[in-house]
Structures are given as structure tokens and as C-alpha cells.
Amino acid sequence: MRDFLAYKLLSHHVSAWQMACFVLANLFGMTIIMGAIQFGKDVMPIFKSGDSFMKEGQMVITKRINSLSAFSKKSTDFSEKEINDIREQPFVKSVGLFTPSQFSVYATLGNRESGMSFSTEMFFESVPDEFLDINLDKWHYTGGGDTIPIILPRNYLNLYNFGFAASNGLPVLSESIISSVKISLSLTGSQGKRNAIGKVVAFSRKLNTILVPIQFMEEANGSLSPERSPKVSRVIIKVDNPADERIATFLAENNYDTESDDSDASKSASMLRLITIAVAGIGLIICALSFYVLLLSIFLLLQKHTDKIDSLLLIGYSTKSVGWFFHMIAIFLNFIVFVVAVLIAISMRDLYLPRFGELYPRLEVASILPTVICGLSIFIIVSIVNYIAIRKKILSIWNLHKEK
């Protein structure tokens, strides 16, 4: 009852419109921060996991082919000197070579007895395992084995489904179907023939090649066509920053091209990060300004209630119990802002996620927990700073009274 009378006494002159302005301004800033962070977390996988095996920050380099290349004898293969030159560039972390098969490949999907059989000539390439980003438990080949894991380009499947199958009345094939069936392979080289079974373990969006493990490629090339030495026509590099200007300069000076859009995707991802940081920074500035407005409003209240605070302290109230009223105002308003900002962020997310889901069916939805934790952290930090500032102000009023 005693505390209630004190709170009732101090509640006079509390400006509702000042408190409302703080709530709106802080809510605006907090919503921007939480919305920007959550949007970045939801959208980033589009740029980072667009390919089933290519890691971020990797690029595939080929020699540029123009209209004169068909009439010139200039090779499109990389020499040892050119590979070493690429390896020595300051922006290159590591270099991998594409090893092509030196034997012909004939693949058959299905069987004639079931009435569904697809056959085609193929080619194989391989890259070092360190450049792969798939489950390596599936990407394994035992020397002399008959089962070969394969990575197929996703656009090959799209060409079949939306081109060949649609025009010939054939059934369409999904990735899961392709991954569940075995592919009969006939490998023929200068030293003989070999049969094997292919198993698709992943699909690539960025490379128009059919990948097999490097262990199998070295074994098959050595046994089927030992007299032929594989030539390197493509190089995969790992870089620190795909947006580095030196990369574009080096490619232009040496007439090299990048075969995939990994560079563009990485640049877009970097740009998205910068935009997210900038937007969140603006929200943080707005929150800081609204926090300052709240402190000014509470300090103004304290100034108006100086005589009442003096009286309460003189009759036995502690500085802690007197200040608790103002602490509760700050905590209550900040908590309202936090809760409403979370609800708005979730509502905004419900608006854009379905649209992204339509465009990118494989998009994995990020958890909202880190965003909530970020908002809760801001709430706790602001509440602590408010508590310290208000307590110091009340102590200064009490010390000023004692000096009188």
C-alpha cells in the first residue's frame, strides 16, 4: 500500500504522447533490425546452396573461344606454365584440375524387358575431392569396384523433361527417380572394354559436366587407355573474395572465361550481406535515437518530480524503491516494443516466404530463433542502460538535497 501511494504520487505529469512517440520510434527501429536480419537469413541460402556440390568462393576457368578459334591451331588446353601462373595469383587459395576420361562411355537407363530403356553416349570428368561439397560417404569408390557415384548437371535433366520428353510423349523424370535407379555403363578404350554400374548421388546447377570420383578416373584411364595423357581444358580455383577486382583483370588479360555463374552468385551474396548490415544499422540508429528520447522523457519526469522525490527520500523511501517506478516504465515500454517487433517480423516473413518457396522449392527455411535472441539482447541491454542512467539521476537528486 505504501509503495502504491508512492507510485500514484509519481505517476502525475507522465506524458502519454511522449511515451507513445518513443514506442512507435523504437518499434520502427527494432522491426527494421529484426526484419533485416531474418530476411538475410532466409534469402542467403538461395545464393549459398544453389549448387549441390560447388562451394562458395569457387570458380571454373576456361580459355576463351571466339569465331577465329575454329580456324586457328591455338589449343584450348592449359599448359603446365599457365596452370602454375594461375596457382601463383595472390587471390587464389587453391587450384584443381578437371581430368577428362580417355575412353568412350555408353550409358543405359532402365531395361528393354520393362519397355522403358534410354541409352546415350556420355563423357566423364573428375575434380579433386576437396572441391566437392556433398556427403562424402556417398562419394566413394573402391579400387576395382563396379559401382561408380556420379554427379549430373541439373540442366541435362531439365532439357530431357521439358524438351525431349515433352516433344516425344515420354514420361518426365524427377531427381529422386534418377537417384534411385542404376545406370548401366559400358566403358571402351584402346586396351579393352569394361562394364560398370552408375549411381547418381547429386545434381549440379553450375557445371555442364558429368563428374565421377578422381580415384575411378585415374584407374579407368590407366587401364583402358594408358597410352593417352589427359589434357586439362578447365581449371577450378578457390578464391578468398569472388568480387576481387584483380580476378576480372587477370581473366581479361589472359583471355580466360568463367564457365559458371558462381562468381555472380557470390557477388550477389556479398551485396546482400552489405545491404542487410546497412539496413540493420539504420534500424539500430533509430533504436538509439528512440532510446535517447525515452531517457530525456524520464529525466524530464524526474526533474518535474524533484520535490516529491526529495520528500519520499526524507520520509524513509530508499533510492531503489523511488527509482523502481521509472525503471518499470522503461522496462514495460521496451518489452512491448520487443514483443510487437517479433510479431511484425513473423508476419512479414509469412508474406515473402511463400513467394520464395514457389521460385525455389528446395529452399530451406531458416530458424527465427537467432533473430528473436538478437531482439531480446537489445531489450536486455537497453533495459540495463536505462536502469543505470535512472539510478544515477536519482542519486544525483539525493546528493544535491544533502548538499543543501
Side-chain angles (χ1 to χ4, degrees):
M1 183 67 180
R2 188 167 177 263
D3 289 340
F4 174 75
L5 293 175
Y7 294 161
K8 191 171 181 63
L9 178 66
L10 294 173
S11 62
H12 288 289
H13 305 294
V14 175
S15 175
W17 72 268
Q18 284 183 341
M19 298 298 105
C21 288
F22 158 75
V23 168
L24 290 176
N26 200 15
L27 177 61
F28 185 60
M30 183 74 82
T31 301
I32 289 177
I33 294 174
M34 297 180 68
I37 293 174
Q38 190 59 47
F39 183 80
K41 289 182 64 63
D42 288 332
V43 176
M44 194 60 68
I46 295 176
F47 299 94
K48 297 181 69 174
S49 61
D51 188 58
S52 59
F53 75 100
M54 287 284 292
K55 292 182 179 179
E56 183 182 13
Q58 294 184 174
M59 303 169 63
V60 176
I61 296 177
T62 59
K63 288 191 174 182
R64 185 169 300 165
I65 298 176
N66 52 38
S67 57
L68 297 178
S69 299
F71 304 100
S72 66
K73 296 183 179 180
K74 189 175 181 180
S75 174
T76 57
D77 300 324
F78 287 92
S79 65
E80 191 67 29
K81 181 178 179 300
E82 291 170 328
I83 294 173
N84 289 332
D85 184 38
I86 295 174
R87 189 176 283 114
E88 293 171 358
Q89 297 305 309
F91 51 81
V92 175
K93 295 173 62 178
S94 59
V95 176
L97 308 180
F98 281 79
T99 303
S101 59
Q102 301 302 300
F103 49 86
S104 62
V105 181
Y106 193 78
T108 301
L109 180 64
N111 56 75
R112 296 179 181 178
E113 295 178 359
S114 64
M116 291 184 62
S117 177
F118 306 94
S119 299
T120 183
E121 290 188 0
M122 298 171 60
F123 62 92
F124 286 155
E125 284 188 305
S126 63
V127 294
D129 289 350
E130 66 176 284
F131 292 90
L132 302 181
D133 192 20
I134 65 170
N135 187 349
L136 294 181
D137 292 338
K138 298 180 180 180
W139 190 251
H140 179 71
Y141 173 75
T142 303
D146 294 329
T147 302
I148 306 167
I150 297 173
I151 294 176
L152 283 180
R154 184 168 284 114
N155 63 343
Y156 281 23
L157 185 59
N158 291 336
L159 285 173
Y160 167 80
N161 285 334
F162 304 114
F164 187 76
S167 61
N168 290 276
L170 296 173
V172 296
L173 301 175
S174 66
E175 292 182 11
S176 60
I177 292 177
I178 295 295
S179 300
S180 64
V181 300
K182 296 180 179 179
I183 304 173
S184 298
L185 300 172
S186 177
L187 316 177
T188 305
S190 61
Q191 299 300 312
K193 186 176 180 180
R194 175 178 174 181
N195 294 324
I197 299 297
K199 177 71 173 178
V200 178
V201 297
F203 288 84
S204 166
R205 286 187 179 180
K206 298 177 181 177
L207 289 183
N208 294 322
T209 191
I210 303 171
L211 288 175
V212 293
I214 185 68
Q215 297 88 349
F216 165 77
M217 183 65 75
E218 292 175 349
E219 175 190 292
N221 278 342
S223 61
L224 295 176
S225 299
E227 77 285 355
R228 298 179 61 181
S229 177
K231 296 182 179 180
V232 179
S233 60
R234 294 195 288 181
V235 176
I236 183 170
I237 63 172
K238 190 183 298 182
V239 297
D240 290 314
N241 178 19
D244 193 329
E245 294 181 356
R246 294 176 297 179
I247 299 177
T249 302
F250 175 75
L251 296 177
E253 290 177 351
N254 292 275
N255 289 320
Y256 294 157
D257 280 330
T258 52
E259 190 175 273
S260 70
D261 60 352
D262 185 65
S263 175
D264 292 337
S266 299
K267 290 179 182 179
S268 300
S270 300
M271 183 61 67
L272 179 62
R273 291 191 189 96
L274 291 176
I275 293 173
T276 300
I277 293 172
V279 172
I282 293 172
L284 193 61
I285 293 173
I286 295 174
C287 280
L289 292 175
S290 61
F291 162 71
Y292 183 68
V293 170
L294 175 64
L295 273 183
L296 287 179
S297 300
I298 292 178
F299 283 175
L300 182 60
L301 279 176
L302 289 169
Q303 196 65 37
K304 289 181 179 179
H305 290 79
T306 300
D307 294 336
K308 296 176 184 177
I309 293 173
D310 279 341
S311 300
L312 290 172
L313 294 173
L314 285 172
I315 63 177
Y317 282 89
S318 65
T319 55
K320 183 177 180 181
S321 60
V322 172
W324 190 244
F325 169 74
F326 302 99
H327 296 321
M328 290 303 297
I329 291 179
I331 292 173
F332 177 71
L333 294 178
N334 286 322
F335 184 73
I336 289 178
V337 168
F338 165 67
V339 173
V340 176
V342 170
L343 294 176
I344 293 177
I346 293 175
S347 300
M348 292 170 57
R349 196 166 180 248
D350 291 338
L351 292 177
Y352 66 74
L353 274 183
R355 298 181 180 274
F356 286 133
E358 294 174 0
L359 295 173
Y360 305 94
R362 292 176 171 269
L363 178 65
E364 295 183 3
V365 178
S367 172
I368 198 172
L369 184 61
T371 303
V372 174
I373 292 175
C374 177
L376 185 62
S377 301
I378 294 175
F379 162 70
I380 293 173
I381 292 172
V382 169
S383 298
I384 292 174
V385 174
N386 275 326
Y387 178 85
I388 296 173
I390 293 171
R391 180 171 174 77
K392 284 185 176 180
K393 184 64 177 179
I394 293 177
L395 287 174
S396 67
I397 293 175
W398 175 239
N399 292 331
L400 184 62
H401 170 80
K402 289 194 296 184
E403 291 175 0
K404 293 181 180 179

